[in-house]
PDB file of all heavy atoms in Angstrom:
ATOM      1  N   PRO A 796     -15.403 -14.426  18.003  1.00 94.00           N
ATOM      2  CA  PRO A 796     -15.211 -13.335  17.030  1.00 94.00           C
ATOM      3  C   PRO A 796     -16.493 -12.544  16.834  1.00 94.00           C
ATOM      4  O   PRO A 796     -17.584 -13.114  16.777  1.00 94.00           O
ATOM      5  CB  PRO A 796     -14.791 -14.074  15.756  1.00 94.00           C
ATOM      6  CG  PRO A 796     -15.323 -15.457  15.906  1.00 94.00           C
ATOM      7  CD  PRO A 796     -15.305 -15.756  17.377  1.00 94.00           C
ATOM      8  N   ALA A 797     -16.364 -11.221  16.762  1.00 94.00           N
ATOM      9  CA  ALA A 797     -17.535 -10.378  16.495  1.00 94.00           C
ATOM     10  C   ALA A 797     -18.085 -10.720  15.113  1.00 94.00           C
ATOM     11  O   ALA A 797     -17.332 -10.918  14.163  1.00 94.00           O
ATOM     12  CB  ALA A 797     -17.157  -8.905  16.581  1.00 94.00           C
ATOM     13  N   PRO A 798     -19.413 -10.766  14.972  1.00 89.00           N
ATOM     14  CA  PRO A 798     -20.019 -11.155  13.690  1.00 89.00           C
ATOM     15  C   PRO A 798     -19.999 -10.022  12.673  1.00 89.00           C
ATOM     16  O   PRO A 798     -19.919  -8.843  13.025  1.00 89.00           O
ATOM     17  CB  PRO A 798     -21.462 -11.496  14.091  1.00 89.00           C
ATOM     18  CG  PRO A 798     -21.726 -10.617  15.279  1.00 89.00           C
ATOM     19  CD  PRO A 798     -20.414 -10.509  16.016  1.00 89.00           C
ATOM     20  N   ILE A 799     -20.078 -10.402  11.418  1.00 87.00           N
ATOM     21  CA  ILE A 799     -20.090  -9.414  10.331  1.00 87.00           C
ATOM     22  C   ILE A 799     -21.389  -9.520   9.541  1.00 87.00           C
ATOM     23  O   ILE A 799     -22.156 -10.475   9.695  1.00 87.00           O
ATOM     24  CB  ILE A 799     -18.884  -9.588   9.391  1.00 87.00           C
ATOM     25  CG1 ILE A 799     -18.917 -10.955   8.684  1.00 87.00           C
ATOM     26  CG2 ILE A 799     -17.581  -9.400  10.150  1.00 87.00           C
ATOM     27  CD1 ILE A 799     -17.875 -11.109   7.599  1.00 87.00           C
ATOM     28  N   ASP A 800     -21.642  -8.520   8.697  1.00 83.00           N
ATOM     29  CA  ASP A 800     -22.870  -8.503   7.898  1.00 83.00           C
ATOM     30  C   ASP A 800     -22.933  -9.680   6.931  1.00 83.00           C
ATOM     31  O   ASP A 800     -23.968 -10.315   6.772  1.00 83.00           O
ATOM     32  CB  ASP A 800     -22.971  -7.191   7.110  1.00 83.00           C
ATOM     33  CG  ASP A 800     -23.318  -6.020   8.014  1.00 83.00           C
ATOM     34  OD1 ASP A 800     -24.250  -6.154   8.833  1.00 83.00           O
ATOM     35  OD2 ASP A 800     -22.656  -4.974   7.912  1.00 83.00           O
ATOM     36  N   GLU A 801     -21.802  -9.955   6.298  1.00 77.00           N
ATOM     37  CA  GLU A 801     -21.752 -11.033   5.304  1.00 77.00           C
ATOM     38  C   GLU A 801     -21.777 -12.386   5.999  1.00 77.00           C
ATOM     39  O   GLU A 801     -21.178 -12.569   7.062  1.00 77.00           O
ATOM     40  CB  GLU A 801     -20.475 -10.894   4.474  1.00 77.00           C
ATOM     41  CG  GLU A 801     -20.304 -11.938   3.396  1.00 77.00           C
ATOM     42  CD  GLU A 801     -18.951 -11.834   2.694  1.00 77.00           C
ATOM     43  OE1 GLU A 801     -18.275 -10.819   2.874  1.00 77.00           O
ATOM     44  OE2 GLU A 801     -18.580 -12.778   1.993  1.00 77.00           O
ATOM     45  N   ASP A 802     -22.460 -13.346   5.401  1.00 73.00           N
ATOM     46  CA  ASP A 802     -22.469 -14.709   5.934  1.00 73.00           C
ATOM     47  C   ASP A 802     -21.329 -15.498   5.298  1.00 73.00           C
ATOM     48  O   ASP A 802     -21.443 -16.015   4.183  1.00 73.00           O
ATOM     49  CB  ASP A 802     -23.806 -15.395   5.631  1.00 73.00           C
ATOM     50  CG  ASP A 802     -24.956 -14.777   6.406  1.00 73.00           C
ATOM     51  OD1 ASP A 802     -24.747 -14.415   7.579  1.00 73.00           O
ATOM     52  OD2 ASP A 802     -26.054 -14.644   5.832  1.00 73.00           O
ATOM     53  N   ASN A 803     -20.189 -15.554   5.990  1.00 64.00           N
ATOM     54  CA  ASN A 803     -19.057 -16.318   5.467  1.00 64.00           C
ATOM     55  C   ASN A 803     -18.834 -17.568   6.312  1.00 64.00           C
ATOM     56  O   ASN A 803     -19.552 -17.829   7.280  1.00 64.00           O
ATOM     57  CB  ASN A 803     -17.784 -15.454   5.405  1.00 64.00           C
ATOM     58  CG  ASN A 803     -17.364 -14.933   6.777  1.00 64.00           C
ATOM     59  OD1 ASN A 803     -17.970 -15.244   7.797  1.00 64.00           O
ATOM     60  ND2 ASN A 803     -16.322 -14.127   6.805  1.00 64.00           N
ATOM     61  N   THR A 804     -17.844 -18.348   5.980  1.00 59.00           N
ATOM     62  CA  THR A 804     -17.659 -19.651   6.622  1.00 59.00           C
ATOM     63  C   THR A 804     -17.302 -19.547   8.096  1.00 59.00           C
ATOM     64  O   THR A 804     -17.664 -20.415   8.886  1.00 59.00           O
ATOM     65  CB  THR A 804     -16.553 -20.451   5.900  1.00 59.00           C
ATOM     66  OG1 THR A 804     -15.363 -19.645   5.831  1.00 59.00           O
ATOM     67  CG2 THR A 804     -16.984 -20.823   4.492  1.00 59.00           C
ATOM     68  N   CYS A 805     -16.597 -18.472   8.482  1.00 64.00           N
ATOM     69  CA  CYS A 805     -16.172 -18.364   9.885  1.00 64.00           C
ATOM     70  C   CYS A 805     -17.073 -17.452  10.701  1.00 64.00           C
ATOM     71  O   CYS A 805     -16.895 -17.333  11.915  1.00 64.00           O
ATOM     72  CB  CYS A 805     -14.725 -17.891   9.979  1.00 64.00           C
ATOM     73  SG  CYS A 805     -14.487 -16.139   9.587  1.00 64.00           S
ATOM     74  N   ALA A 806     -18.059 -16.800  10.054  1.00 60.00           N
ATOM     75  CA  ALA A 806     -18.930 -15.829  10.736  1.00 60.00           C
ATOM     76  C   ALA A 806     -18.092 -14.794  11.472  1.00 60.00           C
ATOM     77  O   ALA A 806     -18.405 -14.381  12.581  1.00 60.00           O
ATOM     78  CB  ALA A 806     -19.883 -16.540  11.696  1.00 60.00           C
ATOM     79  N   CYS A 807     -17.004 -14.370  10.845  1.00 74.00           N
ATOM     80  CA  CYS A 807     -16.058 -13.455  11.475  1.00 74.00           C
ATOM     81  C   CYS A 807     -15.478 -12.532  10.401  1.00 74.00           C
ATOM     82  O   CYS A 807     -15.720 -12.715   9.215  1.00 74.00           O
ATOM     83  CB  CYS A 807     -14.927 -14.229  12.150  1.00 74.00           C
ATOM     84  SG  CYS A 807     -13.938 -15.186  10.978  1.00 74.00           S
ATOM     85  N   SER A 808     -14.672 -11.575  10.847  1.00 86.00           N
ATOM     86  CA  SER A 808     -14.057 -10.639   9.905  1.00 86.00           C
ATOM     87  C   SER A 808     -12.621 -11.072   9.606  1.00 86.00           C
ATOM     88  O   SER A 808     -11.760 -11.086  10.494  1.00 86.00           O
ATOM     89  CB  SER A 808     -14.065  -9.225  10.483  1.00 86.00           C
ATOM     90  OG  SER A 808     -13.755  -8.287   9.473  1.00 86.00           O
ATOM     91  N   GLU A 809     -12.386 -11.432   8.363  1.00 87.00           N
ATOM     92  CA  GLU A 809     -11.056 -11.834   7.918  1.00 87.00           C
ATOM     93  C   GLU A 809     -10.513 -10.806   6.934  1.00 87.00           C
ATOM     94  O   GLU A 809     -11.253 -10.266   6.124  1.00 87.00           O
ATOM     95  CB  GLU A 809     -11.099 -13.203   7.222  1.00 87.00           C
ATOM     96  CG  GLU A 809     -11.227 -14.373   8.150  1.00 87.00           C
ATOM     97  CD  GLU A 809     -11.036 -15.686   7.414  1.00 87.00           C
ATOM     98  OE1 GLU A 809     -11.696 -15.900   6.388  1.00 87.00           O
ATOM     99  OE2 GLU A 809     -10.223 -16.501   7.860  1.00 87.00           O
ATOM    100  N   CYS A 810      -9.201 -10.552   6.995  1.00 89.00           N
ATOM    101  CA  CYS A 810      -8.557  -9.672   6.035  1.00 89.00           C
ATOM    102  C   CYS A 810      -8.092 -10.502   4.848  1.00 89.00           C
ATOM    103  O   CYS A 810      -7.163 -11.313   4.978  1.00 89.00           O
ATOM    104  CB  CYS A 810      -7.379  -8.944   6.672  1.00 89.00           C
ATOM    105  SG  CYS A 810      -6.477  -7.911   5.498  1.00 89.00           S
ATOM    106  N   ALA A 811      -8.724 -10.290   3.702  1.00 89.00           N
ATOM    107  CA  ALA A 811      -8.367 -11.064   2.511  1.00 89.00           C
ATOM    108  C   ALA A 811      -6.921 -10.811   2.102  1.00 89.00           C
ATOM    109  O   ALA A 811      -6.250 -11.714   1.582  1.00 89.00           O
ATOM    110  CB  ALA A 811      -9.315 -10.705   1.364  1.00 89.00           C
ATOM    111  N   PHE A 812      -6.425  -9.589   2.337  1.00 90.00           N
ATOM    112  CA  PHE A 812      -5.043  -9.271   1.981  1.00 90.00           C
ATOM    113  C   PHE A 812      -4.056 -10.055   2.853  1.00 90.00           C
ATOM    114  O   PHE A 812      -3.058 -10.581   2.370  1.00 90.00           O
ATOM    115  CB  PHE A 812      -4.785  -7.772   2.136  1.00 90.00           C
ATOM    116  CG  PHE A 812      -5.536  -6.921   1.163  1.00 90.00           C
ATOM    117  CD1 PHE A 812      -6.546  -6.074   1.592  1.00 90.00           C
ATOM    118  CD2 PHE A 812      -5.259  -6.955  -0.190  1.00 90.00           C
ATOM    119  CE1 PHE A 812      -7.245  -5.275   0.699  1.00 90.00           C
ATOM    120  CE2 PHE A 812      -5.943  -6.167  -1.098  1.00 90.00           C
ATOM    121  CZ  PHE A 812      -6.941  -5.326  -0.645  1.00 90.00           C
ATOM    122  N   MET A 813      -4.336 -10.114   4.154  1.00 93.00           N
ATOM    123  CA  MET A 813      -3.462 -10.869   5.062  1.00 93.00           C
ATOM    124  C   MET A 813      -3.442 -12.343   4.700  1.00 93.00           C
ATOM    125  O   MET A 813      -2.422 -13.017   4.827  1.00 93.00           O
ATOM    126  CB  MET A 813      -3.942 -10.715   6.508  1.00 93.00           C
ATOM    127  CG  MET A 813      -3.668  -9.365   7.127  1.00 93.00           C
ATOM    128  SD  MET A 813      -1.940  -9.216   7.649  1.00 93.00           S
ATOM    129  CE  MET A 813      -2.028  -7.645   8.521  1.00 93.00           C
ATOM    130  N   LYS A 814      -4.594 -12.819   4.248  1.00 94.00           N
ATOM    131  CA  LYS A 814      -4.737 -14.254   4.021  1.00 94.00           C
ATOM    132  C   LYS A 814      -4.177 -14.710   2.670  1.00 94.00           C
ATOM    133  O   LYS A 814      -4.273 -15.900   2.343  1.00 94.00           O
ATOM    134  CB  LYS A 814      -6.203 -14.638   4.143  1.00 94.00           C
ATOM    135  CG  LYS A 814      -6.637 -15.152   5.517  1.00 94.00           C
ATOM    136  CD  LYS A 814      -6.191 -14.342   6.696  1.00 94.00           C
ATOM    137  CE  LYS A 814      -6.712 -14.968   7.996  1.00 94.00           C
ATOM    138  NZ  LYS A 814      -6.423 -14.123   9.181  1.00 94.00           N
ATOM    139  N   VAL A 815      -3.608 -13.803   1.877  1.00 95.00           N
ATOM    140  CA  VAL A 815      -2.976 -14.271   0.632  1.00 95.00           C
ATOM    141  C   VAL A 815      -1.646 -14.967   0.917  1.00 95.00           C
ATOM    142  O   VAL A 815      -1.135 -15.727   0.096  1.00 95.00           O
ATOM    143  CB  VAL A 815      -2.750 -13.132  -0.397  1.00 95.00           C
ATOM    144  CG1 VAL A 815      -4.046 -12.454  -0.754  1.00 95.00           C
ATOM    145  CG2 VAL A 815      -1.712 -12.134   0.082  1.00 95.00           C
ATOM    146  N   ASN A 816      -1.083 -14.715   2.089  1.00 97.00           N
ATOM    147  CA  ASN A 816       0.197 -15.336   2.432  1.00 97.00           C
ATOM    148  C   ASN A 816      -0.008 -16.790   2.846  1.00 97.00           C
ATOM    149  O   ASN A 816      -0.944 -17.113   3.571  1.00 97.00           O
ATOM    150  CB  ASN A 816       0.876 -14.566   3.566  1.00 97.00           C
ATOM    151  CG  ASN A 816       1.267 -13.171   3.165  1.00 97.00           C
ATOM    152  OD1 ASN A 816       1.716 -12.935   2.045  1.00 97.00           O
ATOM    153  ND2 ASN A 816       1.100 -12.210   4.072  1.00 97.00           N
ATOM    154  N   THR A 817       0.896 -17.652   2.385  1.00 98.00           N
ATOM    155  CA  THR A 817       0.855 -19.077   2.718  1.00 98.00           C
ATOM    156  C   THR A 817       2.268 -19.551   3.026  1.00 98.00           C
ATOM    157  O   THR A 817       3.254 -18.868   2.722  1.00 98.00           O
ATOM    158  CB  THR A 817       0.310 -19.901   1.540  1.00 98.00           C
ATOM    159  OG1 THR A 817       1.221 -19.763   0.423  1.00 98.00           O
ATOM    160  CG2 THR A 817      -1.087 -19.449   1.128  1.00 98.00           C
ATOM    161  N   LEU A 818       2.358 -20.737   3.612  1.00 98.00           N
ATOM    162  CA  LEU A 818       3.680 -21.318   3.874  1.00 98.00           C
ATOM    163  C   LEU A 818       4.458 -21.503   2.579  1.00 98.00           C
ATOM    164  O   LEU A 818       5.665 -21.260   2.526  1.00 98.00           O
ATOM    165  CB  LEU A 818       3.541 -22.659   4.600  1.00 98.00           C
ATOM    166  CG  LEU A 818       3.081 -22.630   6.059  1.00 98.00           C
ATOM    167  CD1 LEU A 818       2.956 -24.048   6.604  1.00 98.00           C
ATOM    168  CD2 LEU A 818       4.049 -21.816   6.923  1.00 98.00           C
ATOM    169  N   GLN A 819       3.771 -21.920   1.515  1.00 98.00           N
ATOM    170  CA  GLN A 819       4.461 -22.125   0.237  1.00 98.00           C
ATOM    171  C   GLN A 819       5.049 -20.820  -0.280  1.00 98.00           C
ATOM    172  O   GLN A 819       6.199 -20.780  -0.748  1.00 98.00           O
ATOM    173  CB  GLN A 819       3.490 -22.699  -0.801  1.00 98.00           C
ATOM    174  CG  GLN A 819       4.149 -23.032  -2.139  1.00 98.00           C
ATOM    175  CD  GLN A 819       5.168 -24.147  -2.045  1.00 98.00           C
ATOM    176  OE1 GLN A 819       4.841 -25.243  -1.588  1.00 98.00           O
ATOM    177  NE2 GLN A 819       6.411 -23.882  -2.459  1.00 98.00           N
ATOM    178  N   LYS A 820       4.285 -19.739  -0.179  1.00 98.00           N
ATOM    179  CA  LYS A 820       4.780 -18.438  -0.640  1.00 98.00           C
ATOM    180  C   LYS A 820       5.942 -17.950   0.217  1.00 98.00           C
ATOM    181  O   LYS A 820       6.886 -17.331  -0.299  1.00 98.00           O
ATOM    182  CB  LYS A 820       3.654 -17.415  -0.650  1.00 98.00           C
ATOM    183  CG  LYS A 820       2.603 -17.646  -1.733  1.00 98.00           C
ATOM    184  CD  LYS A 820       1.482 -16.617  -1.657  1.00 98.00           C
ATOM    185  CE  LYS A 820       0.423 -16.884  -2.705  1.00 98.00           C
ATOM    186  NZ  LYS A 820      -0.703 -15.924  -2.632  1.00 98.00           N
ATOM    187  N   ILE A 821       5.892 -18.224   1.502  1.00 98.00           N
ATOM    188  CA  ILE A 821       7.012 -17.838   2.375  1.00 98.00           C
ATOM    189  C   ILE A 821       8.271 -18.612   1.980  1.00 98.00           C
ATOM    190  O   ILE A 821       9.359 -18.035   1.881  1.00 98.00           O
ATOM    191  CB  ILE A 821       6.656 -18.083   3.858  1.00 98.00           C
ATOM    192  CG1 ILE A 821       5.586 -17.083   4.309  1.00 98.00           C
ATOM    193  CG2 ILE A 821       7.892 -17.970   4.752  1.00 98.00           C
ATOM    194  CD1 ILE A 821       4.998 -17.378   5.670  1.00 98.00           C
ATOM    195  N   TYR A 822       8.116 -19.899   1.747  1.00 98.00           N
ATOM    196  CA  TYR A 822       9.259 -20.715   1.316  1.00 98.00           C
ATOM    197  C   TYR A 822       9.823 -20.207  -0.013  1.00 98.00           C
ATOM    198  O   TYR A 822      11.041 -20.027  -0.161  1.00 98.00           O
ATOM    199  CB  TYR A 822       8.845 -22.183   1.180  1.00 98.00           C
ATOM    200  CG  TYR A 822       9.936 -23.054   0.603  1.00 98.00           C
ATOM    201  CD1 TYR A 822      11.020 -23.457   1.376  1.00 98.00           C
ATOM    202  CD2 TYR A 822       9.892 -23.451  -0.734  1.00 98.00           C
ATOM    203  CE1 TYR A 822      12.041 -24.239   0.847  1.00 98.00           C
ATOM    204  CE2 TYR A 822      10.896 -24.238  -1.280  1.00 98.00           C
ATOM    205  CZ  TYR A 822      11.971 -24.623  -0.481  1.00 98.00           C
ATOM    206  OH  TYR A 822      12.972 -25.386  -1.020  1.00 98.00           O
ATOM    207  N   ASP A 823       8.949 -19.959  -0.973  1.00 98.00           N
ATOM    208  CA  ASP A 823       9.393 -19.513  -2.295  1.00 98.00           C
ATOM    209  C   ASP A 823      10.098 -18.162  -2.222  1.00 98.00           C
ATOM    210  O   ASP A 823      11.126 -17.947  -2.879  1.00 98.00           O
ATOM    211  CB  ASP A 823       8.202 -19.422  -3.259  1.00 98.00           C
ATOM    212  CG  ASP A 823       7.636 -20.790  -3.621  1.00 98.00           C
ATOM    213  OD1 ASP A 823       8.348 -21.793  -3.429  1.00 98.00           O
ATOM    214  OD2 ASP A 823       6.474 -20.839  -4.079  1.00 98.00           O
ATOM    215  N   CYS A 824       9.551 -17.240  -1.441  1.00 97.00           N
ATOM    216  CA  CYS A 824      10.151 -15.903  -1.403  1.00 97.00           C
ATOM    217  C   CYS A 824      11.506 -15.936  -0.706  1.00 97.00           C
ATOM    218  O   CYS A 824      12.414 -15.202  -1.075  1.00 97.00           O
ATOM    219  CB  CYS A 824       9.208 -14.880  -0.768  1.00 97.00           C
ATOM    220  SG  CYS A 824       9.367 -14.608   0.986  1.00 97.00           S
ATOM    221  N   LEU A 825      11.646 -16.803   0.286  1.00 98.00           N
ATOM    222  CA  LEU A 825      12.931 -16.922   0.959  1.00 98.00           C
ATOM    223  C   LEU A 825      13.951 -17.647   0.078  1.00 98.00           C
ATOM    224  O   LEU A 825      15.126 -17.258   0.003  1.00 98.00           O
ATOM    225  CB  LEU A 825      12.751 -17.665   2.284  1.00 98.00           C
ATOM    226  CG  LEU A 825      13.934 -17.703   3.255  1.00 98.00           C
ATOM    227  CD1 LEU A 825      14.516 -16.315   3.490  1.00 98.00           C
ATOM    228  CD2 LEU A 825      13.523 -18.333   4.570  1.00 98.00           C
ATOM    229  N   LEU A 826      13.488 -18.656  -0.641  1.00 98.00           N
ATOM    230  CA  LEU A 826      14.369 -19.396  -1.554  1.00 98.00           C
ATOM    231  C   LEU A 826      14.882 -18.492  -2.667  1.00 98.00           C
ATOM    232  O   LEU A 826      16.091 -18.471  -2.969  1.00 98.00           O
ATOM    233  CB  LEU A 826      13.602 -20.582  -2.156  1.00 98.00           C
ATOM    234  CG  LEU A 826      14.376 -21.439  -3.162  1.00 98.00           C
ATOM    235  CD1 LEU A 826      15.512 -22.200  -2.469  1.00 98.00           C
ATOM    236  CD2 LEU A 826      13.431 -22.421  -3.862  1.00 98.00           C
TER     237      LEU A 826
END
Side-chain angles (χ1 to χ4, degrees):
I799 63 172
D800 287 313
E801 181 186 347
D802 292 322
N803 60 3
T804 54
C805 73
C807 63
S808 193
E809 284 189 309
C810 177
F812 293 112
M813 287 282 188
K814 265 47 179 186
V815 302
N816 295 321
T817 63
L818 289 178
Q819 184 65 56
K820 290 178 182 178
I821 290 170
Y822 174 76
D823 291 341
C824 92
L825 190 50
L826 179 68

